[in-house]
Amino acid sequence: MRFFFTASVHGKKQLESNYRLIEQEVKRLGHEVDNGNFSDQSPGEMDKWDEHQSLEFHKKIMNGMKRAEGLLIEASYPSVGVGFNLASAVQLAKPIIVFFTGKEEPHIFRTLEKINDKFQVVRYANLDQLRKEIPPALAFATENQDTRFNFFISPEHAKYLDWIAQTYKMSRSVYLRRLINREMDKLAEEFSMSDLM
């Protein structure tokens, strides 16, 4: 599975060994990791960037997140950039693993864990604990990876889905998943019987 990993550049002073361990363990377990070269950036240099340099860096991060199948975020160091990346990751509807160490955990983590079945927080106190928590977190993320399914629809269907999206403020894919889930609920007994055959 291809993961995109991001964390606070300004948090590198305190957490660089944590960042390195996450990337190493994910690779050791047979996955690909892209970090958009955030780990090569220096906080002092970034603070001097002009608007163009900043825009290019953030474009690279966003494109990396879009290409990935799953997202890894080390969110222990308070950062507006990491918060923005987290919000963007949730919008992408991909499996997300947030790594957190510390006492002041943002409340949003608990909320997202309850409402998003692809979101998980790995809470850890030290590097040994972090190393032990990574394999089950990756296994869970891998199991929750979506399968892409493309198909053609008529212009009338497309118009209807656009109306749903605007009226109910939900994406086409969320709406279609809900329809499928309703049908699965209706046919649950028949569906479970087919699994036995």
Side-chain angles (χ1 to χ4, degrees):
M1 189 166 172
R2 181 185 173 93
F3 287 97
F4 186 84
F5 175 58
T6 188
S8 169
V9 173
H10 286 85
K12 274 173 43 174
K13 275 185 188 173
Q14 296 172 20
L15 299 164
E16 187 168 14
S17 56
N18 304 42
Y19 297 177
R20 225 179 295 120
L21 176 65
I22 292 166
E23 288 193 79
Q24 288 168 353
E25 283 298 297
V26 172
K27 287 177 184 174
R28 186 184 67 77
L29 292 164
H31 301 282
E32 289 180 55
V33 182
D34 176 15
N35 68 20
N37 296 329
F38 93 88
S39 59
D40 298 338
Q41 306 306 320
S42 151
E45 288 298 314
M46 282 184 77
D47 291 340
K48 296 175 190 170
W49 281 356
D50 62 24
E51 188 176 330
H52 175 74
Q53 289 170 301
S54 184
L55 179 63
E56 288 305 309
F57 176 73
H58 291 293
K59 271 187 188 175
K60 189 182 237 183
I61 297 292
M62 294 307 299
N63 287 334
M65 290 172 68
K66 288 176 185 173
R67 282 192 307 270
E69 297 166 296
L71 305 162
L72 310 171
I73 301 173
E74 211 303 336
S76 302
Y77 190 87
S79 163
V80 172
V82 170
F84 176 78
N85 291 344
L86 175 59
S88 301
V90 170
Q91 290 296 315
L92 292 171
K94 296 178 181 186
I96 302 166
I97 304 172
V98 172
F99 299 94
F100 184 82
T101 186
K103 295 178 183 158
E104 301 292 323
E105 181 180 326
H107 297 294
I108 191 70
F109 293 172
R110 299 270 181 200
T111 303
L112 287 169
E113 281 181 309
K114 288 179 183 166
I115 64 171
N116 184 339
D117 59 351
K118 294 181 184 182
F119 183 89
Q120 57 181 317
V121 179
V122 171
R123 297 165 181 88
Y124 66 98
N126 55 52
L127 292 179
D128 287 335
Q129 186 179 9
L130 174 59
R131 185 179 282 109
K132 289 176 189 168
E133 295 291 337
I134 292 172
L138 290 177
F140 181 80
T142 304
E143 290 169 13
N144 283 298
Q145 180 185 8
D146 281 343
T147 302
R148 186 172 187 88
F149 179 70
N150 294 330
F151 64 102
F152 295 101
I153 58 174
S154 71
E156 187 177 354
H157 289 141
K159 186 176 176 182
Y160 176 74
L161 290 174
D162 288 341
W163 176 81
I164 288 288
Q166 289 178 341
T167 306
Y168 295 101
K169 307 292 186 235
M170 77 172 72
S171 70
R172 295 165 152 206
S173 57
V174 167
Y175 176 71
L176 292 172
R177 275 194 294 270
R178 286 183 182 176
L179 285 178
I180 292 169
N181 285 337
R182 273 191 233 138
E183 286 300 308
M184 284 173 65
D185 289 344
K186 284 182 197 172
L187 302 171
E189 190 175 318
E190 190 177 330
F191 179 66
S192 64
M193 294 292 283
S194 69
D195 283 350
L196 299 174
M197 295 177 184

